Amino acid sequence: MNNKKSIIALVLGMALTACASTSPQENKQALISPLPYSEVCCTNYAEFPWIQLGTNEDLDFQIDQSAPIGHFTDGNSYFNAFKLSPRSGRVQIRLGSYMVDGDVFAPKLIALDENFNVVSEANLDDFSIKASDAFTRTQYQLNFALDAAKTPYFVIYTPETTLGESIKVDHPAKVRAKELGEAMPMVTDPTYVHGYYGKLHLSVKTLSLTAYKAKPAAQTKPAVQPAKPVAEPVKASSKLVVQPDTQKYYFDSIEKAVASNDLAKALSLLDEAKALNIEGAQQVFIKAVNAK
């Protein structure tokens, strides 16, 4: 009986020891699983919900369950997508991912052109570790520059391959001791597990502005149209049709007036004939004068 109790006690002790040896980080790693495709919002970058940025920004934000899920070449991930200001030219960007309560978001950044093609990317290896100070927490940090005209879009997400991995960083007290040349304190270095969620900081500073050429305004018709010139009415022909009898009358009268030496009457008849457009009256007058 005593042997049975001893065996039971030994088994229970081993079980308790095994449970105690499981760290919180290991429990977190076990809980991380790939995001299902059924929850993916979009697989095309053009369909992503974009956050418009100003020329200068200083943002603290979280990537959590409220963020959209996208499908990337290295797995599904919660993400935030940003669009740079159209007024920005050269832009300086600083991205930080805080290490908080044993967790950290391991960021990857991809920059896209205006047609949503990937132009460049920054992996976790491109980030440095910035130790905490009086103003901020320990964090992954990346400083980089973009040309907003060439790469107006960028996306922040975490690759599936980094999930569950952990990173151990120097305790802040150790960092201070190293900086001041003091003895190392007896402290435990914190460990952080890469997960889907995290607290991040984004700083955007526009270094140069971009200009554009204004398009000439389309010509529009004036509200008041200028008056069109009124065409002159077609003058009715004043040329009268002269009857043969009338023509004969003037010819004979001119000849008789010249023959009787009444030149005044002959000239008066000539003027009347011209007013009536009687052709040949001038020749009749000259011929009559020459015949004398």
Side-chain angles (χ1 to χ4, degrees):
M1 185 70 178
N2 291 333
N3 289 336
K4 289 183 178 180
K5 289 182 178 180
S6 298
I7 293 172
I8 293 173
L10 179 61
V11 171
L12 290 174
M14 292 175 63
L16 290 172
T17 302
C19 292
S21 63
T22 303
S23 66
Q25 283 77 16
E26 290 173 340
N27 289 333
K28 290 179 180 179
Q29 291 173 354
L31 292 174
I32 295 174
S33 58
L35 296 172
Y37 279 90
S38 59
E39 297 183 13
V40 171
C41 75
C42 23
T43 58
N44 189 321
Y45 293 131
E47 300 172 352
F48 277 17
W50 297 96
I51 301 168
Q52 179 67 62
L53 296 172
T55 51
N56 294 288
E57 296 278 6
D58 200 30
L59 303 174
D60 285 307
F61 63 99
Q62 295 188 49
I63 292 183
D64 54 23
Q65 288 179 319
S66 65
I69 299 175
H71 176 66
F72 302 89
T73 56
D74 37 13
N76 299 336
S77 173
Y78 293 99
F79 72 91
N80 274 162
F82 299 90
K83 183 179 186 300
L84 294 169
S85 170
R87 296 193 300 165
S88 297
R90 193 74 175 166
V91 176
Q92 183 68 38
I93 297 177
R94 175 179 294 173
L95 175 63
S97 179
Y98 297 123
M99 300 181 184
V100 183
D101 298 331
D103 294 312
V104 63
F105 184 88
K108 178 176 179 177
L109 183 145
I110 55 175
L112 300 89
D113 63 18
E114 60 181 2
N115 296 316
F116 303 101
N117 299 310
V118 177
V119 175
S120 62
E121 59 183 38
N123 296 294
L124 188 60
D125 292 340
D126 299 312
F127 286 74
S128 60
I129 296 177
K130 185 179 186 305
S132 64
D133 53 30
F135 304 100
T136 186
R137 293 177 176 272
T138 302
Q139 60 187 276
Y140 285 122
Q141 190 177 91
L142 175 69
N143 292 288
F144 64 102
L146 287 178
D147 185 341
K150 296 179 180 178
T151 50
Y153 303 98
F154 65 92
V155 183
I156 301 168
Y157 71 100
T158 188
E160 280 187 355
T161 53
T162 65
L163 296 173
E165 293 182 353
S166 61
I167 180 173
K168 180 180 287 188
V169 298
D170 287 341
H171 192 282
K174 280 188 177 181
V175 176
R176 303 296 168 266
K178 289 179 181 179
E179 291 176 351
L180 299 174
E182 298 176 349
M184 288 293 104
M186 299 298 292
V187 292
T188 302
D189 293 330
T191 299
Y192 299 92
V193 177
H194 296 166
Y196 281 119
Y197 313 133
K199 296 181 179 180
L200 297 93
H201 179 81
L202 178 66
S203 173
V204 177
K205 183 178 181 181
T206 294
L207 303 179
S208 64
L209 297 174
T210 186
Y212 70 96
K213 292 183 178 180
K215 295 181 179 179
Q219 293 184 353
T220 57
K221 294 182 178 180
V224 179
Q225 295 291 334
K228 294 182 179 180
V230 179
E232 294 184 2
V234 178
K235 294 182 179 180
S237 176
S238 59
K239 186 175 181 179
L240 301 177
V241 178
V242 181
Q243 297 298 322
D245 292 341
T246 303
Q247 184 183 48
K248 185 176 185 304
Y249 165 77
Y250 277 96
F251 286 179
D252 290 344
S253 298
I254 291 172
E255 289 175 346
K256 289 179 181 179
V258 173
S260 61
N261 294 322
D262 193 351
L263 293 178
K265 184 178 180 180
L267 291 172
S268 177
L269 291 169
L270 178 60
D271 291 336
E272 290 179 11
K274 288 180 178 180
L276 295 173
N277 290 322
I278 297 175
E279 296 180 358
Q282 181 76 26
Q283 287 77 5
V284 170
F285 174 78
I286 295 173
K287 186 177 180 180
V289 171
N290 292 333
K292 286 191 67 177

